Every structure is written in structure tokens, then in C-alpha cells.
Amino acid sequence: MILNINHKPIVAIALLSSLSSFAQQSNNPATEATADQVQHGFWKNPNLKYTATEWPVDDDDLKFWDVPKLEKAFIDTALTDRNDGLVIGKLGVDGGDKDMIVKLAQEIADGQHDEIDSLLITHKGKLVFESYYSWGRANLTHPQASATKTYTGLALGRAIQLGYLTMADLDKPVVSFLKELDPTKLVAGAEKITLHNALTRRTGIRISEEQREEFEKNPDQVKGQRLVLTILGQSEPITSENLNSFSYGAYSTELVMQVIDAVVPGSAEDFIKNELLGKMGITTYRWLPGPSGLPAAGWKSSLTSRAMVKLGTLAINKGKWDGEQLIPEAFITKSTNRIITTGDYKVYGGGKDISNQGYGYLWWTADMKVGDKSYLSASAQGGGGQFIILIEKLDLMVVVTSHERHPSTLQLTAERILPAFIKDEFPALEGPYLGQKPPG
């Protein structure tokens, strides 16, 4: 158990002393940086030793990579309620094998796995495990990279819930929502691209690298809806064949963000702030603009690990947060289920127990094998190893942030975390056979 001295949210801890016990926190207060020190770069002081799980990060000048690494990992199996909207549980009491998860956490702290910055686990709606390593802090936002795509999809779902769009509108052409476009300047077939195509990354758009470089040289070409005009004016013609082909690039999420901005009152930026993130009490985040001036739809967001847990909770609860339906259940179902199969070549974060990779509405899907059983997972994924992994059948969520170029997060989840929550199905298994069928 981790003891929060005087119930303060900032704590310093020691690593595990064994698989079943922790070194107790002393009364030595954790180091805090003042607002002035943060603003003037005090975090770069090599003589300042950070061992806290969190510290003030209100200033926009503070960059994630400027934060010193934690000297010791923070590993907590008996969490304190931070009154941030998350329901707190207890590992081993509210589900999960405590020893198995603690052992994995110690291995991460010892550098035996990916370069992980945080690992959080929820089970049956309760946060039961929280840990931070390296650059991880409880209230420090972590770059999300392409996980931002998933959040863009959730923002579209919020617009549907509020009546600015309907589920039927997902089958309408994207250009029908963008009134500033001149249809005579678009390539043949541009009107065939629907929101459904964009959400499943099958827009048929084909832009060369040379064209992308030209866009960057002429920023006026991509401001506002001119971005769509430029893309759909210079792409290869949109064919039915291309519309059925999954393409990770192809400006799919940019089209989604453009529609959000076009249909909601005010700006997409304010809508995301007030109607999506704000509704869940997520106020500490960064979401920078893309070339169009709208929030970057495919990257450039930065969230805390607990905010990631909230967004994952919204999804695993079928669009509900704190009893309120923020996103239609039908939209979440589409998002987190396999609409198309993308193939198993180079599955990001995958391994021997991960197969049948697919895609929903800006969520990746894959089967996770444990013994002779298979569990469908849905995940937000960001370069560098950012994951929100949902396993609906187990009512389980795993959140990971890291700085790993080639992560193994999905495989690690299947191999080490899922067995801890389905151990009762394999009561006789131990050691290397844990979570697998016994030999013979």
C-alpha cells in the first residue's frame, strides 16, 4: 500500500521492497516547483531531484521533455480519491490479482519492458491501479500523438448527441457540410467521401509527398475550409476502389474536424473544451492547432493519464459519463467494434497473442488471446506508445503512456494484465503457464 502522508496529493515513494510489500513513505515532504520557477525554466536545474508523482505544470512554456525523470517509480495499489470524477477501487478486492500486477510494475520500474511513463488500470468502472515511471506524473500532460484521432472522433459523437448532426448524417458526403467550398474546383468523385469513410479512414484521397511540401510552403492554402479545397482539389480522382481501401494518412481526421467546426455553434476548439473535455472535468490539457487553424485532428494533443482514463471510461460506458449520455451509444458501438479488417502486418504494439487487427470509428481493434480464449479489444493508439485499451468483455481498461518507438503494449496487456483479471478461469495455472492451457 502507498501511504499519502497528511492526505496530500503530492507524494514521494520508494520502489517495491518485495512483491507483496512496499517501503513506506517517510515524512520528508516532496519537492514542489513554484509557479515562478516553472515559468523561468527551473525544471532544467540538474541539482533539483524530483521524486514526486505530480507537481505544478500550469505554464504553457513547460515542455514535457524538460521534466527530469523520476528517481523512483510511483506504484499504487490502494489509491486515494483525488475528487476528479474517477471512481476509486482496490486491486485484489475489486478485481485483479494484486501480486501479478505488482510484479509487472516492478519489472517496468527495473527497465525490463518498454520505456513506460505511466500504467493505469480500471476494472468494472473503478480505477484500481496507478503507476508512474520516467517522465510520468499524475498531473503532467503527456503528448498523445495519433491517439488524438480517437479524441476527434469522440468530439464528433458529442456533436451528434447534441443534435448538430444525426447518425444518418454519417452516410452523407463530407462536402455537403462545408458551405465555403466551390464544388467545381474539386476532383472527380470528391462528393463520394462520406463521414463514415472518413471515420474508417477510407477516403480515397491520394496526395503525394511533393504536394504536401507545397502545402507547407503556402500556408494560406490550408486555412479554414481552404484545407479541404486544396486537398480535394489536388488529390487523384476519388474512385470506388480507393474508397474501399484503408489508408492511415489521407487527411481523414482533418475532414472530421472540419465538419465539427462547420456544424457546431462557435468554434471546434471551444466545442471540444466546453462540451467534451469540460463535461468530464478535464481542464488540464493541450490541443494545439493544425495548419488549418482548427485543433489538429490527428496529433498535437496532450493529456494526463487520468484524463485518458476518463475518455476510456466514456467509451466503455457506451457514451455515458456520471449518468449523462454525452455520446450516442450507437456511435460508441460503431467506434469500438471491428467495421473493417486492416490485416496483421506490423500491428502497432502487437505480438504473438494479438491478431485480426481492424478499425472502427477512429479506434483500432484486435483480438487478444489468453490460453484458448479470445477477447476483442478496442484501442486509441499514439506514436511513442500511448494507449487506451478497452476489453469490454472483462469490463477492463488499460492506459499506458510511454516514449517507446516500437512498443509491445498490446502483447504485454494480453500476456501479463488480462490473466490477472481472468485468473479464476485458470485456477491451476502457475509460472510460465499462467493464462495458458496446461501442457498436455
Side-chain angles (χ1 to χ4, degrees):
M1 176 184 298
I2 298 301
L3 298 180
N4 288 333
I5 302 304
N6 297 325
H7 304 286
K8 292 182 179 180
I10 298 179
V11 296
I13 69 156
L15 276 174
L16 311 178
S17 59
S18 70
L19 294 183
S20 60
S21 63
F22 297 94
Q24 183 171 322
Q25 159 68 25
S26 72
N27 287 321
N28 187 23
T31 303
E32 296 183 40
T34 66
D36 183 67
Q37 289 167 342
V38 170
Q39 182 177 359
H40 292 90
F42 185 65
W43 58 88
K44 294 182 180 179
N45 184 345
N47 296 318
L48 186 60
K49 304 299 183 182
Y50 289 97
T51 56
T53 60
E54 59 183 9
W55 56 316
V57 285
D58 296 327
D59 195 277
D60 283 344
D61 291 334
L62 177 59
K63 302 298 188 292
F64 177 78
W65 300 112
D66 290 328
V67 179
K69 284 188 175 182
L70 284 174
E71 288 188 330
K72 296 178 181 178
F74 174 87
I75 300 171
D76 199 352
T77 61
L79 287 70
T80 298
D81 192 346
R82 297 176 185 270
N83 298 314
D84 59 358
L86 293 179
V87 179
I88 302 303
K90 189 172 183 180
L91 185 64
V93 175
D94 294 301
D97 185 297
K98 180 178 176 180
D99 288 345
M100 293 171 66
I101 297 301
V102 166
K103 181 178 180 182
L104 172 62
Q106 185 177 33
E107 290 174 5
I108 293 170
D110 291 341
Q112 297 181 33
H113 297 288
D114 297 345
E115 293 289 338
I116 289 174
D117 295 313
S118 72
L119 167 63
L120 291 80
I121 302 173
T122 76
H123 187 234
K124 296 183 179 180
K126 296 181 179 180
L127 182 63
V128 296
F129 182 75
E130 184 173 21
S131 59
Y132 297 94
Y133 319 82
S134 299
W135 280 287
R137 304 291 194 279
N139 74 333
L140 176 64
T141 62
H142 195 294
Q144 296 293 295
S146 286
T148 306
K149 296 174 172 64
T150 300
Y151 313 148
T152 297
L154 294 177
L156 185 76
R158 179 62 178 151
I160 295 173
Q161 180 66 32
L162 291 174
Y164 302 123
L165 292 166
T166 67
M167 289 296 293
D169 286 336
L170 300 180
D171 293 320
K172 292 182 179 179
V174 167
V175 296
S176 68
F177 302 99
L178 307 178
K179 305 306 182 184
E180 297 176 19
L181 299 185
D182 182 349
T184 66
K185 295 183 179 181
L186 306 181
V187 298
E191 75 286 351
K192 298 178 181 178
I193 304 172
T194 65
L195 272 171
H196 177 82
N197 292 132
L199 289 165
T200 55
R201 307 191 71 77
R202 297 179 296 171
T203 63
I205 295 172
R206 299 293 183 268
I207 297 289
S208 69
E209 285 302 316
E210 291 76 14
Q211 288 173 306
R212 292 176 190 267
E213 291 174 4
E214 286 300 314
F215 297 165
E216 293 177 1
K217 295 177 183 177
N218 299 280
D220 288 341
Q221 282 188 299
V222 295
K223 293 299 181 184
Q225 291 186 19
R226 279 174 286 176
L227 172 67
V228 182
L229 181 62
T230 298
I231 293 169
L232 295 182
Q234 299 188 33
S235 170
E236 296 178 11
I238 309 301
T239 66
S240 297
E241 181 180 0
N242 284 347
L243 279 173
N244 291 319
S245 176
F246 178 85
S247 176
Y248 189 67
Y251 291 98
S252 298
T253 47
E254 286 81 358
L255 296 183
V256 174
M257 186 64 77
Q258 288 283 339
V259 172
I260 294 171
D261 189 68
V263 301
V264 302
S267 67
E269 179 182 2
D270 288 340
F271 181 78
I272 291 169
K273 175 183 178 181
N274 298 321
E275 290 297 340
L276 179 62
L277 301 182
K279 285 288 184 179
M280 293 180 285
I282 300 174
T283 57
T284 300
Y285 72 93
R286 300 182 74 190
W287 196 326
L288 300 178
S292 69
L294 305 183
W299 62 307
K300 290 191 175 184
S301 72
S302 186
L303 298 172
T304 67
S305 300
R306 281 192 164 220
M308 295 169 71
V309 170
K310 289 184 177 185
L311 291 169
T313 299
L314 178 67
I316 206 167
N317 286 345
K318 300 295 184 182
K320 282 188 176 181
W321 174 259
D322 196 22
E324 181 181 358
Q325 195 76 44
L326 296 186
I327 296 176
E329 180 176 344
F331 185 85
I332 293 294
T333 298
K334 288 272 192 181
S335 299
T336 57
N337 279 278
R338 187 184 293 116
I339 296 175
I340 60 173
T341 299
T342 61
D344 291 342
Y345 176 69
K346 289 187 176 180
V347 177
Y348 190 67
K352 64 181 179 63
D353 297 316
I354 309 300
S355 63
N356 297 325
Q357 179 177 255
Y359 210 68
Y361 279 173
L362 301 178
W363 286 80
W364 291 94
T365 64
D367 292 335
M368 292 185 168
K369 184 181 178 183
V370 182
D372 61 355
K373 295 183 180 294
S374 181
Y375 298 86
L376 176 66
S377 69
S379 56
Q381 300 180 8
Q386 324 321 318
F387 287 84
I388 303 174
I389 305 168
L390 313 178
I391 303 95
E392 183 179 356
K393 188 175 181 180
L394 298 174
D395 203 354
L396 181 69
M397 173 170 49
V398 177
V399 165
V400 171
T401 60
S402 72
H403 51 282
E404 178 71 36
R405 184 176 180 85
H406 301 292
S408 57
T409 309
L410 296 180
Q411 175 60 34
L412 193 66
T413 299
E415 191 173 342
R416 300 294 300 277
I417 297 177
L418 263 64
F421 289 86
I422 57 176
K423 187 178 179 183
D424 290 343
E425 298 184 30
F426 308 98
L429 301 186
E430 297 181 0
Y433 302 112
L434 186 60
Q436 304 176 27
K437 291 184 69 175

